[in-house]
């Protein structure tokens, strides 16, 4: 497990959080934090406990054990004060279909304690921020999935809460809607802390720099994206003009290097592409380049490729099965 | 105040959808027709003792059947629909207490119920115009409407509780209708019970007799106290049920 990165005092503190539902341990002693202005991705396969975790953080469910604090307020003991600091978008963005967009947002703004002109000003702000101007007077029930998701996001932004909790915010969107909602979330980073859940790696990679990986209700890894990706090691791709058999035997003889794959390119006879594992440090890579040069072969390409986060994720979540 | 915001939205929802207007139209049509029948009936030489308004405000089975139907339909979606559509999750995670949610919804239902009955004031004015000068007892009329409000508010509280218990509005409506039917039938059960504490309890709970007292102009504070207690119990239970998810 990767150690947590050093962060400023957390806005959200999840400490030894456990939750049992219907006799099943859904969350088991989770601990992580989100600092002010930070974007953290809660990643895990379906059924990992992401939604339950978010529901406990937002005060919809209570923890069976452990503690959740938002801005120093306990979500159970000081629920009302803690909930004032959170903007929450549940997975399906539930909305009142019979209301117009501005009516729904004004209703929710009043529930967040805004009054009079402040309601109108705040609704105008989030409508503009979420690009809802064109549909502001339309009935929510008639909107597309993408616009409904944006209305849900606008609702979460009302009152500019310091922490946004977004449960699968782009689930079910088409590629255009996906891009728009992602851009919107990305624009929030820095001003508000975001805890975002997803089972899609690309989603989290695109929006967050910090990750908490959840599986079967347990945190299996957490830390910066780069650190988690580095856990999977690197692959060294070398393209050499020379004889396949000799290249294979020469490179295999180098200390600390193993050939994962070596083929002669069909479109370029006499050119060999090798994939080497174990070349994690610069010295090994220099040895590879030196061996090729000493043999008089032509070094056409030497490329370092970090293991995709995907493989790290699948390794982490498979280990527990 | 969150409860006022919720009440306002719920009240708007009644009049924003065809449901509210349909219920209002059907209610006034049936009440208008039944009032006409009662006036015709009481004008017959062999008519029973009383006034058309006494029959109109709780004196017949029609009143109770309609009350049960109206209350079940008015309250069925209040919390069950929020739970079914998922909006209850955003409501409970907003900085709002469950008691404000339940009170707001209940208040909206009571105001809608009052809005249903308000136009029937025209019938009373009609009765006053038809009756000989000075024969209409305005005190009895006011007491009759107070009784209708008190019994209706109690029934609505039962409906809110039923709506809090399920995520299916139809099930909430059926549960509410069954509970109210049992409540109405408690009084007649007295006929099959010999004298004793049970008979006394059934007499105290007899809502038919209660409303008849009101329609005759008798305002008994014990009736109001009983209705108030049932309202408090049902709303507290609904609040408790909403808060259940927050328990460890």
């Amino acid at each position: 497990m990767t150690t947590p990165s050093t962060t400023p005092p957390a806005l959200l503190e999840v400490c030894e959080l456990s939750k049992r539902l219907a006799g099943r341990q859904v969350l088991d002693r989770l601990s992580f934090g989100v600092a002010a202005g930070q974007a953290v991705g809660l990643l895990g396969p379906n059924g990992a406990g992401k939604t339950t975790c978010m529901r406990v953080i937002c005060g919809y469910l209570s923890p069976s054990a452990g503690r959740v604090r938002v801005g120093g307020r306990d979500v159970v003991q000081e629920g009302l004060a803690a909930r004032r600091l959170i903007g929450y978008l549940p997975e399906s963005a539930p909305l009142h279909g019979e209301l117009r967009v501005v009516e729904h947002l004004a209703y929710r703004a009043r529930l967040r304690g805004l009054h009079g002109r402040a309601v109108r000003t705040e609704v105008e702000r989030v409508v503009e921020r979420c690009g809802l101007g064109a549909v502001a007077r339309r009935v929510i029930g008639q909107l597309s999935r993408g616009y409904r998701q944006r209305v849900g996001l606008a609702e979460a932004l009302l009152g500019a809460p310091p922490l946004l909790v977004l449960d699968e915010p782009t689930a079910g969107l088409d590629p255009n809607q996906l891009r728009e909602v992602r851009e919107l979330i990305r624009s929030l980073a820095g001003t508000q802390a975001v805890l975002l859940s997803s089972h899609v790696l690309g989603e989290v990679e695109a929006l967050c720099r910090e990750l908490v990986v959840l599986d079967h209700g347990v945190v299996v890894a957490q830390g910066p994206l780069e650190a988690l990706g580095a856990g999977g090691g690197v692959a060294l791709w070398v393209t050499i003009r020379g004889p396949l058999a000799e290249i294979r035997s020469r490179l295999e003889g180098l200390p600390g290097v193993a050939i994962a794959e070596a083929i002669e390119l069909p479109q370029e006879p006499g050119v060999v592409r090798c994939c080497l594992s174990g070349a994690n440090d610069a010295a090994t890579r220099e040895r590879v380049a030196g061996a090729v040069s000493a043999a008089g072969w032509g070094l056409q390409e030497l490329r370092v490729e970090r293991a995709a986060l995907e493989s790290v994720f699948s390794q982490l979540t498979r280990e527990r099965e | 105040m969150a409860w006022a915001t919720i009440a306002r939205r719920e009240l708007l929802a009644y009049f924003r959808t065809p449901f509210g207007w349909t219920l209002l139209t059907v209610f006034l049509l049936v009440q208008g027709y039944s009032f006409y029948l009662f006036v015709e009936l009481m004008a017959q030489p062999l008519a029973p003792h009383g006034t058309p308004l006494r029959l109109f405000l709780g004196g017949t089975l029609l009143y109770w059947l309609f009350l049960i139907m109206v209350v079940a339909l008015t309250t069925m979606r209040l919390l069950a629909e929020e739970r079914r559509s998922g909006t209850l999750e955003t409501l409970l995670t907003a900085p709002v207490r469950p008691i404000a949610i339940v009170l707001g919804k209940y208040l909206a239902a009571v105001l809608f119920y009052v809005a249903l009955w308000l136009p029937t004031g025209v019938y009373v004015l009609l009765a006053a115009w038809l009756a000989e000068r000075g024969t209409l007892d305005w005190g009895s009329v006011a007491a009759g409407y107070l009784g209708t409000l008190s019994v209706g508010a109690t029934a609505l509280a039962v409906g809110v509780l039923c709506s809090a218990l399920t995520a299916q509005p139809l099930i909430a409506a059926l549960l509410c209708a069954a509970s109210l039917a049992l409540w109405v039938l408690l009084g007649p059960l007295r006929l099959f019970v010999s004298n004793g504490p049970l008979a006394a309890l059934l007499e105290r709970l007899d809502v038919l007799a209660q409303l008849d007292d009101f329609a005759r102009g008798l305002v008994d504070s014990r009736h109001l106290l009983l209705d108030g207690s049932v309202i408090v119990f049902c709303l507290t239970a609904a609040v408790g049920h909403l808060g259940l998810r927050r328990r460890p």
Side-chain angles (χ1 to χ4, degrees):
Chain A
M1 188 186 293
T2 311
T3 52
S5 59
T6 312
T7 51
L11 173 70
L12 168 68
E13 301 164 72
V14 177
C15 186
E16 294 284 310
L17 173 65
S18 294
K19 179 69 187 172
R20 282 186 77 80
L21 279 175
R24 197 169 70 88
Q25 191 75 36
V26 183
L27 302 176
D28 192 7
R29 286 170 292 154
L30 304 192
S31 293
F32 63 90
V34 178
Q38 193 181 30
V40 174
L42 193 58
L43 186 67
N46 289 325
K50 304 184 293 293
T51 296
T52 305
C53 178
M54 291 191 145
R55 284 178 165 175
V56 175
I57 289 168
C58 295
Y60 186 58
L61 297 174
S62 61
S64 304
R67 200 183 63 220
V68 177
R69 283 168 167 269
V70 181
R73 311 292 181 113
D74 189 287
V75 294
V76 177
Q77 306 298 330
E78 305 159 275
L80 213 57
R83 294 203 296 279
R84 281 202 185 94
L85 305 174
I86 303 173
Y88 178 41
L89 172 67
E91 187 177 349
S92 55
L95 305 164
H96 294 287
E98 80 279 5
L99 295 182
R100 295 176 196 283
V101 171
V102 283
E103 287 171 342
H104 175 81
L105 293 174
Y107 167 56
R108 291 297 177 162
R110 287 191 191 97
L111 287 184
R112 292 200 73 91
L114 298 174
H115 302 287
R117 286 184 65 83
V119 172
R120 195 172 168 181
T121 312
E122 185 60 5
V123 169
E124 283 171 0
R125 184 185 75 83
V126 296
V127 161
E128 193 191 333
R129 188 84 198 254
C130 297
L132 289 165
V135 296
R137 308 289 313 166
R138 280 179 59 186
V139 175
I140 290 173
Q142 297 171 352
L143 296 181
S144 67
R145 173 79 207 242
Y147 271 122
R148 287 174 62 90
Q149 201 74 6
R150 283 196 208 188
V151 176
L153 205 52
E155 183 184 327
L157 291 176
L158 285 168
L163 174 66
L164 292 174
V165 178
L166 312 176
D167 193 0
E168 306 262 3
T170 58
L173 299 183
D174 69 34
N176 286 334
Q177 295 167 340
L178 189 87
R179 186 173 43 79
E180 288 165 3
V181 172
R182 272 185 187 174
E183 276 170 16
L184 180 59
I185 295 170
R186 208 176 286 124
S187 73
L188 301 169
T191 55
Q192 283 161 291
V194 179
L195 178 66
L196 173 147
S197 84
S198 181
H199 62 276
V200 182
L201 270 160
E203 175 87 3
V204 178
E205 277 183 299
L207 296 170
C208 308
R209 299 262 56 85
E210 290 276 330
L211 274 190
V212 175
V213 184
L214 211 60
D215 189 33
H216 291 84
V218 176
V219 173
V220 289
Q222 59 178 304
L225 203 65
E226 298 78 16
L228 286 176
V234 297
L236 185 66
W237 289 89
V238 198
T239 309
I240 305 163
R241 181 173 293 282
L244 175 62
E246 284 181 39
I247 290 171
R248 186 188 280 275
S249 68
R250 176 67 66 91
L251 294 183
E252 266 179 346
L254 294 174
V257 173
I259 295 182
E261 188 188 331
I263 54 159
E264 192 171 275
L265 296 178
Q267 68 274 29
E268 286 183 79
V271 175
V272 175
R273 177 167 291 165
C274 304
C275 178
L276 311 178
S277 60
N280 290 340
D281 57 291
T284 310
R285 294 197 285 271
E286 280 174 17
R287 273 201 298 278
V288 171
V292 173
S293 171
W297 301 320
L299 182 62
Q300 295 190 342
E301 187 189 19
L302 188 87
R303 179 163 52 89
V304 176
E305 197 172 84
R306 298 219 167 267
L309 189 59
E310 213 156 313
S311 64
V312 179
F313 173 67
S314 86
Q315 187 190 335
L316 285 168
T317 52
R318 214 185 303 129
E319 272 169 6
R320 291 184 54 81
E321 281 174 7
Chain B
M1 282 181 287
W3 60 268
T5 302
I6 292 168
R8 197 178 119 178
R9 194 212 85 79
E10 284 302 326
L11 205 55
L12 265 177
Y14 281 124
F15 292 106
R16 185 57 72 78
T17 54
F19 167 79
W21 292 108
T22 308
L23 193 60
L24 185 66
T25 308
V26 172
F27 182 82
L28 290 178
L29 277 176
V30 173
Q31 295 292 37
Y33 182 63
S34 63
F35 185 74
Y36 165 77
L37 284 182
F38 296 147
V39 170
E40 279 289 307
L41 178 72
M42 299 313 277
Q44 300 300 315
L46 295 175
H49 178 69
T51 64
L53 276 170
R54 190 173 159 192
L55 287 180
F56 181 65
L57 294 172
T60 64
L61 189 64
L62 184 72
Y63 173 94
W64 294 103
L65 283 176
F66 216 54
L67 176 95
I68 291 172
M69 190 190 83
V70 164
V71 167
L73 289 174
T74 305
T75 55
M76 66 177 190
R77 40 164 293 285
L78 283 177
L79 288 158
E81 181 65 24
E82 295 260 17
R83 199 184 286 276
R84 194 184 63 80
S85 68
T87 46
L88 190 64
E89 189 172 346
T90 48
L91 205 50
L92 286 171
T93 52
V96 179
R97 293 179 205 279
I99 191 169
I101 298 170
V102 171
L103 271 183
K105 303 244 171 204
Y106 175 67
L107 184 66
V110 171
L111 289 175
F112 182 68
Y113 180 77
V114 169
L116 288 179
W117 277 98
L118 218 51
T120 65
V122 175
Y123 309 158
V124 179
L125 294 177
L126 207 62
W129 182 62
L130 287 173
E132 290 173 33
R133 186 178 291 274
T135 55
L136 188 72
D137 180 359
W138 287 99
S140 297
V141 173
Y145 271 101
L146 177 66
T148 289
L149 178 64
S150 180
V151 167
T154 310
L156 288 166
V158 173
V160 168
L161 174 60
C162 293
S163 188
L165 296 176
T166 172
Q168 299 298 329
L170 191 61
I171 292 175
L174 290 172
L175 203 59
C176 173
S179 309
L180 294 180
L182 282 175
W183 180 42
V184 172
L185 293 173
L186 269 182
L189 203 63
R190 196 162 35 123
L191 300 171
F192 307 104
V193 179
S194 55
N195 286 341
L198 184 60
L201 179 71
L202 290 174
E203 189 180 352
R204 184 65 59 218
L205 297 175
D206 188 349
V207 70
L208 298 171
Q210 175 188 334
L211 210 58
D212 194 49
D213 283 352
F214 276 115
R216 283 189 294 129
L218 281 172
V219 178
D220 189 337
S221 58
R222 286 175 301 179
H223 293 326
L224 296 174
L225 198 67
L226 177 66
D227 288 349
S229 306
V230 175
I231 291 170
V232 170
F233 171 79
C234 289
L235 297 186
T236 307
V239 171
H241 190 76
L242 281 191
L244 266 185
R245 298 186 74 91
R246 293 219 174 105
R247 287 192 196 149

Coordinates of all heavy atoms in Angstrom, one line a residue, chain B residues 11 14-15 24 27-28 70 74 106-121 145-146 148-150 152-153 156:
Chain B
L11 N -47.0 22.7 -1.6 CA -48.3 23.3 -2.0 C -48.3 23.7 -3.5 O -49.3 23.4 -4.2 CB -48.5 24.6 -1.1 CG -50.0 25.0 -0.9 CD1 -50.8 23.8 -0.3 CD2 -50.0 26.2 0.1
Y14 N -48.9 20.6 -5.6 CA -50.3 20.2 -5.7 C -51.0 20.9 -6.9 O -51.8 20.3 -7.6 CB -51.1 20.5 -4.4 CG -50.9 19.5 -3.3 CD1 -50.4 20.0 -2.1 CD2 -51.1 18.2 -3.5 CE1 -50.2 19.1 -1.0 CE2 -50.9 17.3 -2.4 CZ -50.5 17.7 -1.2 OH -50.3 16.9 -0.2
F15 N -50.7 22.2 -7.0 CA -51.4 23.0 -8.0 C -50.6 23.1 -9.3 O -51.1 23.6 -10.3 CB -51.7 24.4 -7.5 CG -52.7 24.4 -6.3 CD1 -52.3 24.6 -5.0 CD2 -54.0 24.1 -6.6 CE1 -53.2 24.6 -4.0 CE2 -54.9 24.1 -5.6 CZ -54.5 24.3 -4.3
L24 N -59.4 18.5 -6.8 CA -60.3 19.6 -6.4 C -61.6 19.6 -7.1 O -62.7 19.8 -6.5 CB -59.5 20.9 -6.6 CG -60.2 22.2 -6.2 CD1 -60.3 22.3 -4.7 CD2 -59.5 23.5 -6.7
F27 N -63.7 16.6 -6.0 CA -64.2 16.9 -4.6 C -65.4 17.8 -4.6 O -66.4 17.5 -4.0 CB -63.0 17.5 -3.8 CG -63.3 17.7 -2.4 CD1 -63.3 16.7 -1.4 CD2 -63.8 19.0 -1.9 CE1 -63.6 17.0 -0.1 CE2 -64.1 19.2 -0.6 CZ -64.0 18.2 0.3
L28 N -65.3 18.9 -5.3 CA -66.4 19.9 -5.3 C -67.6 19.3 -6.0 O -68.7 19.6 -5.6 CB -65.9 21.2 -6.0 CG -64.9 22.0 -5.1 CD1 -64.4 23.2 -5.9 CD2 -65.5 22.3 -3.8
V70 N -59.7 11.1 -0.2 CA -59.0 12.4 -0.4 C -57.7 12.4 0.4 O -56.6 12.8 -0.1 CB -59.9 13.6 0.0 CG1 -59.1 14.8 0.2 CG2 -60.9 13.8 -1.0
T74 N -54.0 12.6 -1.1 CA -53.2 13.8 -0.8 C -51.9 13.5 -0.2 O -50.9 14.2 -0.5 CB -54.0 14.7 0.1 OG1 -55.3 15.0 -0.4 CG2 -53.4 16.1 0.4
Y106 N -46.5 18.1 6.0 CA -47.8 18.0 6.7 C -48.5 19.3 6.6 O -49.7 19.3 6.2 CB -47.5 17.6 8.2 CG -48.8 17.6 9.0 CD1 -49.8 16.7 8.7 CD2 -49.0 18.6 10.0 CE1 -51.0 16.7 9.5 CE2 -50.2 18.6 10.7 CZ -51.2 17.6 10.5 OH -52.3 17.6 11.2
L107 N -47.9 20.4 6.8 CA -48.5 21.7 6.7 C -49.1 21.9 5.3 O -50.2 22.4 5.1 CB -47.5 22.8 7.0 CG -48.1 24.2 7.1 CD1 -49.1 24.3 8.2 CD2 -47.0 25.3 7.2
A108 N -48.3 21.5 4.2 CA -48.8 21.7 2.9 C -50.1 20.8 2.7 O -51.0 21.3 2.0 CB -47.7 21.2 1.9
A109 N -50.1 19.6 3.2 CA -51.2 18.7 3.0 C -52.5 19.4 3.7 O -53.6 19.3 3.2 CB -50.9 17.4 3.6
V110 N -52.2 19.9 4.9 CA -53.4 20.5 5.7 C -53.9 21.7 4.9 O -55.1 21.9 4.7 CB -52.9 20.9 7.1 CG1 -54.0 21.8 7.8 CG2 -52.6 19.7 7.9
L111 N -53.0 22.5 4.4 CA -53.4 23.7 3.6 C -54.2 23.3 2.3 O -55.2 24.0 2.0 CB -52.2 24.6 3.3 CG -51.6 25.4 4.4 CD1 -50.3 26.1 4.0 CD2 -52.6 26.3 5.1
F112 N -53.7 22.3 1.7 CA -54.4 21.8 0.5 C -55.8 21.3 0.9 O -56.8 21.5 0.2 CB -53.6 20.7 -0.2 CG -54.3 20.2 -1.5 CD1 -54.3 21.0 -2.6 CD2 -54.8 18.9 -1.5 CE1 -54.9 20.5 -3.7 CE2 -55.4 18.4 -2.7 CZ -55.5 19.2 -3.8
Y113 N -55.9 20.6 2.0 CA -57.2 20.1 2.5 C -58.1 21.2 2.8 O -59.3 21.2 2.5 CB -56.9 19.3 3.8 CG -58.1 18.7 4.4 CD1 -58.7 17.5 3.9 CD2 -58.7 19.2 5.6 CE1 -59.8 16.9 4.5 CE2 -59.8 18.6 6.2 CZ -60.3 17.5 5.7 OH -61.4 16.9 6.3
V114 N -57.6 22.3 3.4 CA -58.4 23.5 3.7 C -58.9 24.1 2.3 O -60.0 24.5 2.2 CB -57.6 24.5 4.5 CG1 -58.3 25.9 4.6 CG2 -57.4 24.0 5.9
A115 N -58.0 24.1 1.4 CA -58.3 24.7 0.0 C -59.4 23.9 -0.6 O -60.3 24.4 -1.4 CB -57.1 24.7 -0.9
L116 N -59.5 22.6 -0.3 CA -60.6 21.7 -0.9 C -61.9 22.1 -0.3 O -62.9 22.2 -1.0 CB -60.3 20.2 -0.6 CG -59.2 19.5 -1.4 CD1 -59.0 18.1 -0.9 CD2 -59.4 19.6 -2.9
W117 N -61.9 22.4 1.0 CA -63.2 22.6 1.7 C -63.6 24.1 1.6 O -64.8 24.3 1.8 CB -63.0 22.2 3.2 CG -63.2 20.8 3.5 CD1 -62.2 19.9 3.6 CD2 -64.4 20.1 3.6 NE1 -62.8 18.6 3.8 CE2 -64.1 18.7 3.8 CE3 -65.8 20.5 3.5 CZ2 -65.1 17.8 4.0 CZ3 -66.8 19.5 3.7 CH2 -66.4 18.2 3.9
L118 N -62.7 25.0 1.4 CA -63.0 26.4 1.4 C -64.2 26.7 0.4 O -65.1 27.4 0.9 CB -61.8 27.2 1.0 CG -61.6 28.5 1.7 CD1 -61.7 28.4 3.2 CD2 -60.2 29.1 1.4
P119 N -64.2 26.2 -0.8 CA -65.3 26.6 -1.7 C -66.7 26.1 -1.2 O -67.7 26.6 -1.7 CB -64.9 26.0 -3.1 CG -63.5 25.7 -3.0 CD -63.2 25.4 -1.5
T120 N -66.7 25.1 -0.3 CA -68.0 24.6 0.1 C -68.7 25.6 1.0 O -69.8 25.5 1.4 CB -67.8 23.3 0.9 OG1 -67.1 23.5 2.1 CG2 -67.2 22.2 0.1
G121 N -68.0 26.7 1.4 CA -68.6 27.8 2.1 C -69.7 28.4 1.3 O -70.7 28.9 1.9
Y145 N -67.3 22.8 10.8 CA -66.1 23.0 10.0 C -64.9 22.8 10.9 O -63.9 22.2 10.4 CB -66.1 24.4 9.3 CG -66.8 24.4 8.0 CD1 -68.1 24.8 7.8 CD2 -66.1 23.8 6.9 CE1 -68.7 24.8 6.6 CE2 -66.7 23.8 5.6 CZ -68.0 24.3 5.5 OH -68.6 24.2 4.3
L146 N -64.9 23.2 12.1 CA -63.8 23.0 13.0 C -63.6 21.5 13.2 O -62.4 21.0 13.2 CB -64.1 23.6 14.4 CG -63.0 23.4 15.5 CD1 -61.7 24.1 15.0 CD2 -63.4 23.9 16.8
T148 N -64.5 19.1 11.1 CA -63.9 18.6 9.8 C -62.4 18.9 9.7 O -61.7 18.0 9.2 CB -64.7 19.2 8.6 OG1 -66.0 18.7 8.6 CG2 -64.0 19.0 7.3
L149 N -62.0 20.1 10.1 CA -60.6 20.4 10.1 C -59.8 19.5 11.1 O -58.7 19.0 10.7 CB -60.4 21.9 10.4 CG -59.0 22.4 10.5 CD1 -58.3 22.3 9.1 CD2 -58.9 23.8 11.0
S150 N -60.4 19.3 12.3 CA -59.7 18.6 13.3 C -59.5 17.1 12.9 O -58.4 16.5 13.0 CB -60.4 18.7 14.6 OG -59.8 17.9 15.6
G152 N -59.8 15.9 9.8 CA -59.0 15.9 8.6 C -57.5 16.0 8.9 O -56.7 15.3 8.3
A153 N -57.2 16.9 9.8 CA -55.8 17.1 10.1 C -55.2 15.8 10.8 O -54.0 15.5 10.5 CB -55.6 18.3 11.1
L156 N -54.7 13.3 8.0 CA -53.5 13.7 7.2 C -52.2 13.3 7.9 O -51.3 12.9 7.2 CB -53.6 15.2 6.9 CG -54.6 15.6 5.9 CD1 -54.8 17.1 5.9 CD2 -54.3 15.2 4.5

